[in-house]
Amino acid sequence: MFETLRKKALKTTLVWSIILMIVGLGLVIFRAQATFSTIFGYAKFENLEPDKIKGQLVDMEMTLNFGYFLERYEYKTNSTYRKTTDLYCIIITGDEETFLYTDNWYYMGIKVPASYEKQMDLIIDNTNESYFSEPISLSGKIRKLSDQEYKYFREAFEDAGWTDAEIDDGTLPYYIDVINNKVAYNIMSVLVFVAGLVLIAIGIIKIVKASKGETLKELRKTIAEAGCTEASAEADYNAAQTFTKDGNIRVGKLFTYYITGATPKAIPNSKIMWTYQTTTTHRTNGIKTGTSYSLMVFVDGVKNNITLSMPNEAVTREILRKMDETMPWVVVGYTDDLKRLFNKNRAEFLDLRYNKVEHVAVEPGYNNVNNE
């Protein structure tokens, strides 16, 4: 019994833990660069060689801006009003000295939030007048221009009379995607990275615990508190009737066994007071999409009821029938009168069956339909 349940718990745990670890790894990879840059500092854009520009997070001091080549906008709901969200401008690689005294620089793009428009206009005007502006500190991630963005980027140079060869030789298909709030971006990056590590750790811990059988602790505790030995519980489990193909729901003489997630559990049959079926109809936009069934079990000494998810109505009714036949102290079935009595006069409810019948299964024995 215990080894069988340990293996079942481990199998279920492996599935969910691997999912957790994959999600965690995805978060770690997604924010690894940002977290590294947050801790050790962003690269200085002006110091990057053109052939090293790829996907770095960078800090830059903008003093030159050669104009806009694209703007991104959105329409407000139920309105024709267009709101500009981002502006794409043309900048150069390197710094002022690189621009003035070398040929080792290229044009590329930068995308800034629309709130920077006045500052961009001023720098563009100064650049057109051959002035270096007072530097504006910006931070962002270098990204490759999409096909559509690159199309507009090239058109800006074509309009200025550049040939295709000149555009290919003098530009880079990249842009700096400016971060509007660097502090918030860094904090979020670190939090997401740490969350990924936590998910990976949780997945590993769950697998280790399941492999060691720690998911059986609650089951062993229930058996001990019921005054049964593990040997008698194991014999009861092996002789219990199963009601699902996976064998996860079993009704024995001593206990009703079930698995929640990856945790095997047991309900002492002698403590069951009331059980009945619930049926839930699921609808989407008023259209029925399915029906689910559950077994509600109320246990003496347990504050909240235990809900067992059932595969279908037939299995639910079969379990209720078995409980009604073999556990004469249990009230089986639901009525509004029973609910009112249970909630308002528990003593009278228990006198219906629980207090008047010996809590011993009346059936001489159970057959395990799976022959396990």
Side-chain angles (χ1 to χ4, degrees):
M1 164 190 172
F2 292 104
E3 181 60 17
T4 298
L5 290 175
R6 184 191 71 82
K7 289 179 179 179
K8 282 190 175 186
L10 178 58
K11 183 178 180 180
T12 302
T13 299
L14 278 173
V15 173
W16 289 108
S17 294
I18 289 173
I19 292 174
L20 277 179
M21 293 164 68
I22 291 173
V23 173
L25 183 61
L27 294 177
V28 167
I29 293 173
F30 177 58
R31 288 299 184 182
Q33 182 193 39
T35 301
F36 181 88
S37 297
T38 297
I39 297 173
F40 297 102
Y42 286 24
K44 186 171 176 58
F45 174 69
E46 290 82 359
N47 293 341
L48 290 177
E49 292 295 326
D51 61 348
K52 301 297 183 182
I53 292 175
K54 292 181 180 179
Q56 301 95 330
L57 281 162
V58 297
D59 290 324
M60 73 168 298
E61 299 293 324
M62 179 185 284
T63 58
L64 292 172
N65 188 323
F66 295 87
Y68 303 109
F69 69 90
L70 180 64
E71 72 175 62
R72 188 178 295 276
Y73 57 85
E74 62 183 19
Y75 287 98
K76 289 191 175 182
T77 304
N78 299 324
S79 172
T80 58
Y81 173 70
R82 190 176 76 176
K83 178 183 178 182
T84 300
T85 58
D86 300 285
L87 301 168
Y88 289 76
C89 306
I90 298 172
I91 60 172
I92 60 166
T93 63
D95 56 17
E96 294 176 4
E97 291 188 0
T98 304
F99 177 67
L100 291 174
Y101 303 114
T102 77
D103 294 326
N104 189 32
W105 56 268
Y106 295 81
Y107 290 103
M108 59 177 283
I110 187 169
K111 184 180 80 171
V112 298
S115 57
Y116 283 88
E117 183 173 10
K118 288 185 178 180
Q119 293 168 286
M120 295 299 105
D121 287 344
L122 177 60
I123 298 177
I124 290 171
D125 289 342
N126 289 338
T127 301
N128 289 336
E129 296 294 330
S130 299
Y131 294 129
F132 289 108
S133 298
E134 287 295 318
I136 296 178
S137 298
L138 299 170
S139 299
K141 181 176 177 61
I142 296 176
R143 303 183 188 277
K144 191 166 186 177
L145 289 163
S146 69
D147 291 342
Q148 186 179 31
E149 290 167 340
Y150 189 53
K151 172 179 175 291
Y152 289 110
F153 179 70
R154 290 185 68 92
E155 285 181 356
F157 292 94
E158 290 171 355
D159 292 342
W162 287 42
T163 65
D164 287 343
E166 289 173 331
I167 295 173
D168 292 337
D169 291 339
T171 67
L172 295 177
Y174 294 96
Y175 70 100
I176 300 174
D177 189 0
V178 170
I179 299 167
N180 198 24
N181 188 327
K182 182 180 178 182
V183 174
Y185 179 86
N186 288 345
I187 292 174
M188 181 58 66
S189 296
V190 173
L191 289 177
V192 171
F193 182 84
V194 171
L197 293 178
V198 170
L199 290 179
I200 294 172
I202 290 174
I204 294 173
I205 291 171
K206 282 182 174 292
I207 292 173
V208 172
K209 286 186 174 182
S211 64
K212 291 182 176 180
E214 292 190 24
T215 53
L216 302 177
K217 284 184 176 180
E218 185 175 345
L219 175 62
R220 293 182 187 275
K221 181 181 178 182
T222 299
I223 292 171
E225 289 178 346
C228 294
T229 64
E230 291 188 359
S232 63
E234 185 155 5
D236 182 62
Y237 177 88
N238 291 332
Q241 181 174 349
T242 60
F243 290 89
T244 55
K245 291 181 180 180
D246 56 16
N248 286 346
I249 299 177
R250 297 172 178 244
V251 178
K253 289 183 179 181
L254 302 177
F255 297 94
T256 295
Y257 306 89
Y258 65 102
I259 296 179
T260 299
T263 305
K265 296 182 180 182
I267 304 170
N269 291 343
S270 62
K271 295 291 186 180
I272 299 176
M273 301 179 290
W274 184 25
T275 183
Y276 59 85
Q277 171 186 319
T278 61
T279 304
T280 304
T281 300
H282 305 280
R283 297 181 182 276
T284 301
N285 298 325
I287 301 174
K288 181 179 178 180
T289 56
T291 304
S292 59
Y293 303 92
S294 300
L295 193 68
M296 310 295 285
V297 183
F298 295 82
V299 182
D300 192 14
V302 178
K303 182 178 180 181
N304 297 319
N305 66 280
I306 298 171
T307 303
L308 304 182
S309 180
M310 296 287 113
N312 53 58
E313 186 173 19
V315 169
T316 311
R317 291 187 178 277
E318 181 63 17
I319 293 177
L320 288 172
R321 183 189 65 79
K322 181 60 68 174
M323 288 183 168
D324 192 36
E325 290 178 352
T326 62
M327 304 177 199
W329 63 92
V330 178
V331 175
V332 177
Y334 175 88
T335 66
D336 290 339
D337 289 338
L338 284 174
K339 181 179 180 179
R340 281 191 293 269
L341 190 62
F342 185 85
N343 291 332
K344 295 183 178 181
N345 195 334
R346 184 68 55 85
E348 186 176 341
F349 179 91
L350 295 178
D351 281 339
L352 294 175
R353 285 193 173 189
Y354 192 80
N355 291 337
K356 293 185 176 181
V357 180
E358 186 178 4
H359 295 194
V360 178
V362 298
E363 191 175 49
Y366 291 145
N367 294 319
N368 186 339
V369 297
N370 288 341
N371 294 320
E372 296 179 357

